[in-house]
Amino acid sequence: MDQKHLTPAMVRIIQAYLEDPTTPMFATELMARANVGSGSLYPALARMEAAGWIVQEKEGIDPSEEGRPARRYFAMTGKGAAEAHVALVELSDSVRPPANSPGWKPGWRPTWRIGAVLQCLTTGLRANSPAVKGI
């Protein structure tokens, strides 16, 4: 799986895993760390599992003793950690503005009057103020 197949939820899940890729997480813990809902989590985990990035296992408990079903936990594989890291780097590179864009040139200023806009926001809009007339 490469960066073009990453959803925003997958990016947050990968970031949560890459903080400590050796620690398996339950779905509720993963939802909290990645700030995603179950509707985004489970499809993302299914895609990551199909790509070999994560594996899932059931919790080793006796459901009758615990009074609840065994939870599933998800662990990132070594292959998953390496490929996910590369996919995040590629995604970051693909959305980074080019070095020759106006925002990267020293001394570049926007063509609209930012000072006038900021003055309006800080002093309030008055129809006869010089800042409003200059916009």
Side-chain angles (χ1 to χ4, degrees), residues 44 82 99 133:
K133 290 179 185 176

Side-chain angles (χ1 to χ4, degrees), residues 1-116:
M1 185 176 351
D2 58 3
Q3 60 92 13
K4 68 183 175 186
H5 295 105
L6 297 181
T7 64
M10 288 178 73
V11 169
R12 291 193 300 270
I13 292 166
I14 291 167
Q15 288 171 331
Y17 268 119
L18 290 181
E19 289 177 8
D20 186 8
T22 60
T23 303
M25 290 186 258
F26 294 106
T28 52
E29 180 184 7
L30 194 51
M31 283 189 285
R33 283 190 182 186
N35 195 26
V36 297
S38 61
S40 298
L41 178 77
Y42 288 107
L45 290 176
R47 291 177 70 190
M48 293 169 68
E49 186 174 20
W53 288 10
I54 62 167
V55 292
Q56 64 173 301
E57 294 183 25
K58 282 199 171 186
E59 183 180 28
I61 64 163
D62 182 9
S64 60
E65 281 184 20
E66 296 292 325
R68 63 174 175 82
R71 296 182 285 183
R72 293 181 292 165
Y73 63 91
F74 303 89
M76 183 159 263
T77 63
K79 170 191 172 192
E83 289 182 8
H85 179 81
V86 169
L88 287 183
V89 169
E90 289 174 354
L91 178 65
S92 177
D93 287 344
S94 72
V95 296
R96 183 174 291 130
N100 60 355
S101 70
W104 290 78
K105 292 181 181 174
W108 177 81
R109 293 199 172 261
T111 56
W112 46 279
R113 297 194 52 208
I114 192 166

